[in-house]
Amino acid sequence: MSIAAKQQEVLDELALFQDWQERYEYVISLGKRLAEMDDSLKTEDRLIKGCQSQVWLEANVDGDTIHYQADSDSVITKGMIALFIRVLDGEPIDDILTADLSFIDKTGLKEHLAPTRANALNLMATQIKQRALEFSKR
């Protein structure tokens, strides 16, 4: 499934919920389903700087695909990073670099978050692409 198709799938799922409370509960549940990140990976160099909560992002390359892991000390933030991982994990480096991550704006989540949490979504997208860029230069 393409990145765009995965993004649309996320948007379609969120559209099923009647109100924002249900949508946030769904996003939180996505975070709870993320694979456990080993504590040894929760280091300063993996922190996404500028987020109100602590968010760790790990990326590994396998051939030309990237696999992401993440964790956060906040359930809503962990759910938000889970959205990105769901869409981008296991995708080719070049596809991640050219992906339009503005799908997150279409979720409507930003309008219902505090400004610092909304900014965290942009920081997450930037860091995910930055890790892909680092791998592309190897």
Side-chain angles (χ1 to χ4, degrees), residues 43-102:
T43 58
E44 186 73 24
D45 61 319
R46 291 180 178 93
L47 272 175
I48 297 177
K49 307 287 189 267
C51 291
Q52 180 179 1
S53 305
Q54 291 187 310
V55 184
W56 297 273
L57 178 67
E58 170 66 350
N60 294 294
V61 68
D62 180 19
D64 74 336
T65 62
I66 298 180
H67 296 281
Y68 292 101
Q69 285 183 285
D71 200 358
S72 177
D73 60 355
S74 160
V75 292
I76 189 65
T77 305
K78 187 172 181 175
M80 292 184 313
I81 193 80
L83 290 171
F84 288 111
I85 289 176
R86 178 173 167 188
V87 168
L88 299 172
D89 184 56
E91 293 294 332
I93 294 168
D94 290 341
D95 291 357
I96 293 169
L97 289 173
T98 59
D100 178 2
L101 298 183
S102 66

